[in-house]
Amino acid sequence: MTATTSLDYDGDIAILDLGDDENRFSPEFLDEVDAQLDAVLERGAHGLVTTADSKFYSNGLDLDWLGAHSDQGPWYVGRVQGLLARFLTLPIPTAAAVVGHAFGAGAMLAIAHDFRVMRADRGYFCFPEVDIRIPFTPGMAALIQAKLTPQAAVASMTTGRRFGGPDAAAHGIVDQTAAEGGVTAAATDLLRPLGGKDSGTLGAIKQVMFGPAVQALQNP
């Protein structure tokens, strides 16, 4: 699978488009996103929004690649969790514009952002692990539990429930919803007032806030 991410800017806020497919986490996708994050930080962006040009925000793990490279499973999981840890502690404000379905590790990527805006009328946010018989790793569980209330964690992690936008907002999984075509703009607007934060201080705060989750993610 060829990754096709793209990077643009709305003023000082970086807009990272994850692609126009299912945006699964192939090794190429992971490499591209890491390189895009390097570029965002090098430019000194005041914030980062991730979005997509598809009915999917991200469908998560690339199970086809994993099935064909089962001997590389531990490396692959470590690589995915490393990217999640990087998003969790990125030293600039971040927001996920969940314009379509976010499943499994794709939903975890959204959770790793500071804020989330989800399309109100279409798309599901779902951790399907209980139904596909793939238990959460300690790192992935720690990430979700660091961001959600215990009630929301149980509702999302143990049931495989598919949350639409308003349902996800009611559970605190996303911060707000927006109409079709307005999700990315709403996520960008969330970050505009935060552009003056010192990145060194913000990064240090996130490292302390999410230290246990980061440690679990980086030591799969």
Side-chain angles (χ1 to χ4, degrees), residues 3 17 24 27 34 42 66 103 109 124 135 145 158 166 180 196 212 218:
D17 190 319
R24 289 184 179 268
D34 256 334
E42 183 176 354
L66 192 56
F103 273 71
L109 178 63
Y124 291 112
Q145 290 173 280
T158 69
E180 178 185 5
Q218 293 179 336

Side-chain angles (χ1 to χ4, degrees), residues 5-7 9 14-16 18 29-45 47-50 79 82-94 109 113:
T5 66
S6 62
L7 186 62
Y9 288 85
I15 311 293
L16 174 56
L18 300 177
F29 176 92
L30 297 171
D31 287 343
E32 274 197 27
V33 172
D34 256 334
Q36 299 283 31
L37 294 183
D38 289 342
V40 168
L41 296 178
E42 183 176 354
R43 175 159 168 164
L48 170 68
V49 171
T50 60
R79 185 76 179 76
L83 185 65
L84 294 175
R86 188 175 188 190
F87 267 95
L88 189 60
T89 57
L90 208 67
I92 57 175
T94 60
L109 178 63
H113 291 65

Side-chain angles (χ1 to χ4, degrees), residues 190-208:
L190 274 179
L191 300 188
R192 291 194 198 280
L194 305 176
K197 308 302 181 188
D198 177 73
S199 62
T201 304
L202 181 58
I205 288 172
K206 289 185 183 181
Q207 288 283 352
V208 172

Side-chain angles (χ1 to χ4, degrees), residues 42-68:
E42 183 176 354
R43 175 159 168 164
H46 289 180
L48 170 68
V49 171
T50 60
T51 186
D53 187 23
S54 171
K55 68 178 182 179
F56 294 93
Y57 172 77
S58 172
N59 221 359
L61 300 182
D62 189 341
L63 298 179
D64 288 341
W65 185 93
L66 192 56

Side-chain angles (χ1 to χ4, degrees), residues 125-144:
F125 187 105
C126 177
F127 297 124
E129 281 74 6
V130 70
D131 291 325
I132 61 176
R133 300 183 181 182
I134 301 178
F136 294 95
T137 67
M140 291 175 177
L143 165 64
I144 298 166

Side-chain angles (χ1 to χ4, degrees), residues 88-199:
L88 189 60
T89 57
L90 208 67
I92 57 175
T94 60
V98 185
V99 294
H101 302 308
F103 273 71
M108 293 174 206
L109 178 63
I111 284 288
H113 291 65
D114 298 327
F115 307 102
R116 285 153 295 286
V117 179
M118 188 171 174
R119 182 172 164 177
D121 64 327
R122 182 175 293 181
Y124 291 112
F125 187 105
C126 177
F127 297 124
E129 281 74 6
V130 70
D131 291 325
I132 61 176
R133 300 183 181 182
I134 301 178
F136 294 95
T137 67
M140 291 175 177
L143 165 64
I144 298 166
Q145 290 173 280
K147 287 300 191 81
L148 301 184
T149 66
Q151 295 88 343
V154 169
S156 59
M157 294 175 71
T158 69
T159 68
R161 178 174 173 176
R162 298 185 176 195
F163 293 84
D167 197 16
H171 282 79
I173 295 171
V174 301
D175 297 276
Q176 65 184 68
T177 61
E180 178 185 5
V183 182
T184 301
T188 306
D189 287 343
L190 274 179
L191 300 188
R192 291 194 198 280
L194 305 176
K197 308 302 181 188
D198 177 73
S199 62

